Amino acid sequence: MGTVVIVGAGPGLGLSVAKVFGEQGFEIALIARRAATLDDLVEQLADAGIAAAGYPADIMDRPSLVRAFRDIAANHEPVEVLEFSPAPRGPEKGLVLAGPLDVSVANVQPHLDFYVHGAITATGQVLPDMLERGSGTLLYTTGPGSVRPTPSMGNVALACAALRNWVLNLHDALAGKGVYAAHVPLSFEADEVDPDRVAPHYWDIHIGGEGGEHPLTGAILRAKRLS
Ligand SMILES: NC(=O)c1ccc[n+]([C@@H]2O[C@H](COP(=O)([O-])OP(=O)(O)OC[C@H]3O[C@@H](n4cnc5c(N)ncnc54)[C@H](OP(=O)(O)O)[C@@H]3O)[C@@H](O)[C@H]2O)c1
């Protein structure tokens, strides 16, 4: 079945995506900075009968991210799915929010490093093998600001929109190669929706073998529940 690597694995979406793919027989590799959090996620997954392993790395420290993927390649089945959904836990040094009038090179650069350069680095570790095998799914999560103007997130949205642009181009460039790149803009507040209800969307994209844009909003989730 292969391995799913979750870059930016936390107790929210990351854990839920791990559960969904683990239940389907995937090996699970989790990347985040804090080893203690990863240990806790691995324990929760083990309680659910899912084998997982944590690989501490910082997206902002590119060599550590590359090392994590090297270790994953040594310890697991080939990576069939990459899921990129890091989320800063509260205010973090350098990752400040700025509205459009306050956007500066200094306050955009860290977000480009985090979202764009992080995603490019992670993808570079798995895409060559996926292309050689002719199979794989690349999933990238952002919030609503990547798609429509969200003034309060002027600098973050700029970086997420750039990530979205790259993913959609990647999707086009991958046509006919058996590898799919999908952008998943989530448009609800983190506390509005149970991530266990969000994660099956990622499985559906993977199993459907269709890249491009796959938005998920509260309204779409409610409609899915009713159908
Ligand atoms: N949950 C929702 O309903 C919802 C709603 C809207 C948007 N979203 C989007 O969904 C995604 C996931 O959000 P979530 O809150 O549910 O995430 P989560 O899976 O609970 O946690 C994400 C993890 O990313 C890790 N991270 C942060 N900075 C990192 C770095 N520099 N290097 C490596 N890992 C890093 C953090 O762990 P460490 O601090 O240990 O590194 C954090 O635990 C995000 O893209 C978010 O914008 C989610």
Side-chain angles (χ1 to χ4, degrees):
M1 182 68 75
T3 300
V4 56
V5 180
I6 299 170
V7 180
L13 185 66
L15 177 61
S16 299
V17 169
K19 275 193 257 170
V20 166
F21 281 81
E23 281 161 5
Q24 298 290 340
F26 270 80
E27 291 189 28
I28 309 293
L30 308 170
I31 295 178
R33 290 166 300 181
R34 287 168 295 178
T37 310
L38 290 173
D39 289 347
D40 186 49
L41 299 181
V42 167
E43 206 175 302
Q44 288 188 56
L45 289 164
D47 289 346
I50 295 166
Y55 294 87
D58 185 345
I59 288 163
M60 302 293 255
D61 171 8
R62 240 72 72 198
S64 78
L65 191 55
V66 172
R67 267 197 306 279
F69 275 96
R70 207 174 294 147
D71 291 345
I72 290 166
N75 297 339
H76 295 275
E77 295 274 307
V79 177
E80 187 62 21
V81 179
L82 170 71
E83 199 275 313
F84 183 87
S85 57
R89 297 252 141 236
E92 296 205 11
K93 194 166 170 279
L95 290 172
V96 296
L97 274 182
L101 292 174
D102 298 317
V103 162
S104 67
V105 171
N107 65 36
V108 171
Q109 186 63 56
H111 292 289
L112 290 171
D113 282 343
F114 188 81
Y115 292 103
V116 181
H117 302 158
I120 291 171
T121 303
T123 305
Q125 309 315 305
V126 298
L127 184 54
D129 282 351
M130 287 180 173
L131 288 171
E132 204 173 301
R133 292 197 311 272
S135 77
T137 303
L138 304 162
L139 301 161
Y140 306 85
T141 304
T142 67
S146 61
V147 179
R148 58 168 197 273
T150 309
S152 62
M153 306 196 75
N155 58 342
V156 181
L158 196 155
C160 290
L163 171 57
R164 169 187 188 244
N165 183 278
W166 176 61
V167 174
L168 297 181
N169 278 326
L170 196 56
H171 163 61
D172 287 346
L174 290 170
K177 298 186 191 302
V179 181
Y180 303 93
H183 174 239
V184 187
L186 299 178
S187 299
F188 30 74
E189 295 304 318
D191 57 356
E192 190 189 15
V193 170
D194 177 353
D196 281 347
R197 287 185 53 218
V198 174
H201 186 59
Y202 290 75
W203 177 257
D204 290 347
I205 298 169
H206 166 66
I207 215 68
E210 204 183 313
E213 188 135 83
H214 293 265
L216 195 59
T217 61
I220 293 173
L221 272 176
R222 282 191 293 279
K224 278 190 181 200
R225 197 163 42 176
L226 292 175
S227 65

